[in-house]
């Protein structure tokens, strides 16, 4: 299995999604649409999944 570094855009999206989850959980920021739609835990998990998948596939 060859791992590759994620593209810059994919890395930024993964980090932003994860940070949104952390900041919402800590009540630093509030996004009512996201709070009613998805739990902060799943946002952080999605950020990690985006980063992990982008390491597996070279084109992401």
């Amino acid at each position: 299995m060859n791992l590759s570094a994620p593209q810059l855009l994919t890395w930024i999206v993964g980090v932003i999604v994860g940070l949104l989850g952390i900041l919402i959980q800590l009540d630093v920021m509030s996004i009512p649409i996201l709070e009613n739609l998805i739990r902060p835990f799943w946002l952080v998990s999605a950020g990690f999944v985006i980063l992990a998948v982008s390491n597996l596939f070279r084109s992401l």
Side-chain angles (χ1 to χ4, degrees):
M1 175 186 311
N2 293 330
L3 297 178
S4 62
Q7 299 287 328
L8 181 62
L9 181 63
T10 308
W11 184 82
I12 289 172
V13 168
V15 169
I16 287 174
V17 169
L19 281 176
L20 278 176
I22 291 171
L23 293 176
I24 290 172
Q25 177 65 34
L26 295 175
D27 289 330
V28 173
M29 70 183 305
S30 175
I31 302 175
I33 295 171
L34 284 180
E35 289 175 358
N36 294 332
L37 184 64
I38 191 167
R39 302 264 183 215
F41 169 79
W42 293 114
L43 283 174
V44 174
S45 298
F48 281 127
V49 167
I50 290 170
L51 292 174
V53 169
S54 68
N55 281 327
L56 292 174
F57 298 104
R58 185 173 300 275
S59 62
L60 292 177

